[in-house]
């Protein structure tokens, strides 16, 4: 550990770890039919194997708040950090993922809706209708050291609504969650992964310090702190898939693949 010119303790490893991986999960389920039918449902047994591989490869889970603390010299990062995120705040994440993560001594970032009166994910017909966590369950995960982030108030497409609605979704979600947790909420996740420059500016103006997209951000971690690129974990992602995603520069490959598709689409037009 070193002491910076500000007198703060700093990590002995480079803070700007460009290849730091941020993984994105949604549902963790016990229903094998749901796993076969829906791309974002990972069976709990497979999730355990994911955690086993992450542990075996020497990774240590951190939160995005941990990373921000390290940037300020207030925390030392592990040698091989990794961030696990879960979108939407499903009850099955509390029921299945939470105890497994605790068993492995791991933590994650859980993105939940600010509208705590919403009980199910009625915004989508392309995934199983699933109960959302209640406030007490969100609070329990927060007290266990998990980072709670905002996923808007009601899961709208922020790039397709009028600015007044987008602002309300972004700002009041943070206010509601901070009231529940009695703690700052600094991280945002864009519903559907939809983001543009005006929405990013709203997120920054609303007081968030980081935000997660899906496929839109640059491949280097934290190159754009308001559009952190994440690696999607699918229902079919097995142990080998996790190994490839965590131990190889997968996000750079995924970014190049996206750019190639965009180029071919433009040329075809």
């Amino acid at each position: 550990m070193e002491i910076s010119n500000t007198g703060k303790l700093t990590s002995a490893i480079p803070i700007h770890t460009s290849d730091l991986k941020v993984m994105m999960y949604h549902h963790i389920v016990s229903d094998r039919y749901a796993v076969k039918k829906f791309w974002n449902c990972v069976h709990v047994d497979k999730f355990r194997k994911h955690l086993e591989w992450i542990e075996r490869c020497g990774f240590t889970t951190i939160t995005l708040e941990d990373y921000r603390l390290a940037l300020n010299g207030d925390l030392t990062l592990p040698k091989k950090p990794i961030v696990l995120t879960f979108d939407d705040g499903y009850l099955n994440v509390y029921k299945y993922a939470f105890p497994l993560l605790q068993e492995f001594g791991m933590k994650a970032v859980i993105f939940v809706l600010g509208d705590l009166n919403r009980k199910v994910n009625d915004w989508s017909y392309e995934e199983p209708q699933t109960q959302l966590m209640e406030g007490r369950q969100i609070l329990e995960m927060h007290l266990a050291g998990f980072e709670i982030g905002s996923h808007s108030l009601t899961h709208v497409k922020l790039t397709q609504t009028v600015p007044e609605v987008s602002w309300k979704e972004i700002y009041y979600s943070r206010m509601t969650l901070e009231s529940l947790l009695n703690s700052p909420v600094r991280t945002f996740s864009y519903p559907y992964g939809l983001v543009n420059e005006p929405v990013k500016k709203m997120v920054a103006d609303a007081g968030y310090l980081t935000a997660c997209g899906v496929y839109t951000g640059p491949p280097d971690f934290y190159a754009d702190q308001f559009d952190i690129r994440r690696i999607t974990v699918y229902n079919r992602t097995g142990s080998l898939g996790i190994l490839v995603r965590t131990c190889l520069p997968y996000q750079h490959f995924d970014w190049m693949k996206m750019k190639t598709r965009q180029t071919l689409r433009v040329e075809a037009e």
Side-chain angles (χ1 to χ4, degrees):
M1 195 138 45
E2 301 171 347
I3 299 179
S4 70
N5 55 12
T6 62
K8 291 183 176 181
L9 292 175
T10 60
S11 173
I13 66 173
I15 293 298
H16 292 288
T17 310
S18 62
D19 62 346
L20 193 155
K21 309 295 196 306
V22 183
M23 315 295 287
M24 181 181 70
Y25 289 87
H26 286 82
H27 298 270
I28 305 298
V29 302
S30 61
D31 182 359
R32 296 190 182 278
Y33 173 76
V35 172
K36 290 180 180 179
K37 186 175 181 180
F38 301 106
W39 67 269
N40 58 4
C41 290
V42 175
H43 194 274
V44 61
D45 294 342
K46 184 170 284 188
F47 182 64
R48 173 183 282 277
K49 292 185 182 299
H50 291 179
L51 299 185
E52 289 173 351
W53 272 107
I54 289 170
E55 182 179 64
R56 191 174 303 174
C57 291
F59 289 100
T60 301
T61 56
I62 66 169
T63 65
L64 292 168
E65 176 64 17
D66 290 338
Y67 187 79
R68 290 191 294 268
L69 289 172
L71 285 178
N72 292 330
D74 297 324
L75 184 72
T76 302
L77 288 178
K79 290 184 178 180
K80 293 181 67 175
I82 190 170
V83 181
L84 307 182
T85 69
F86 294 80
D87 275 10
D88 303 324
Y90 293 116
L91 181 61
N92 53 44
V93 169
Y94 172 82
K95 184 177 180 181
Y96 297 114
F98 182 35
L100 270 179
L101 287 162
Q102 289 188 304
E103 178 185 331
F104 280 82
M106 298 180 181
K107 54 187 174 180
V109 183
I110 313 296
F111 291 110
V112 301
L113 301 184
D115 183 359
L116 300 176
N117 292 318
R118 178 157 287 195
K119 304 301 181 184
V120 297
N121 58 332
D122 54 5
W123 60 81
S124 175
Y125 297 100
E126 297 179 353
E127 58 183 312
Q129 292 294 291
T130 306
Q131 284 184 286
L132 303 177
M133 281 188 273
E134 298 177 0
R136 60 183 177 83
Q137 293 154 340
I138 296 170
L139 180 59
E140 182 182 345
M141 296 187 81
H142 165 70
L143 294 175
F146 287 57
E147 181 179 356
I148 303 300
S150 166
H151 201 39
S152 80
L153 266 179
T154 63
H155 205 285
V156 301
K157 295 180 178 180
L158 296 171
T159 59
Q160 299 176 22
T161 60
V162 297
E164 293 80 7
V165 172
S166 295
W167 174 256
K168 179 181 178 182
E169 289 280 334
I170 294 166
Y171 180 76
Y172 286 103
S173 177
R174 184 171 75 86
M175 294 295 99
T176 303
L177 292 174
E178 288 187 345
S179 178
L180 169 69
L181 305 175
N182 193 28
S183 181
V185 173
R186 306 295 197 194
T187 309
F188 189 85
S189 169
Y190 304 104
Y192 307 97
L194 296 175
V195 55
N196 56 24
E197 291 303 319
V199 169
K200 284 164 63 173
K201 185 177 186 306
M202 286 187 202
V203 169
D205 290 344
Y208 297 94
L209 300 180
T210 50
C212 289
V214 182
Y215 302 111
T216 50
D220 289 340
F221 175 73
Y222 228 71
D224 183 344
Q225 70 190 73
F226 286 101
D227 193 4
I228 296 174
R229 190 180 189 87
R230 290 185 287 173
I231 298 172
T232 304
V233 181
Y234 297 96
N235 55 346
R236 62 181 182 273
T237 304
S239 298
L240 179 60
I242 288 296
L243 187 65
V244 169
R245 283 164 169 76
T246 55
C247 297
L248 297 177
Y250 184 88
Q251 70 275 31
H252 291 268
F253 166 75
D254 208 34
W255 180 81
M256 289 185 66
K257 183 171 66 174
M258 179 198 70
K259 289 296 184 182
T260 301
R261 286 176 177 172
Q262 290 176 344
T263 301
L264 292 174
R265 191 180 303 118
V266 170
E267 291 177 352
E269 294 173 353

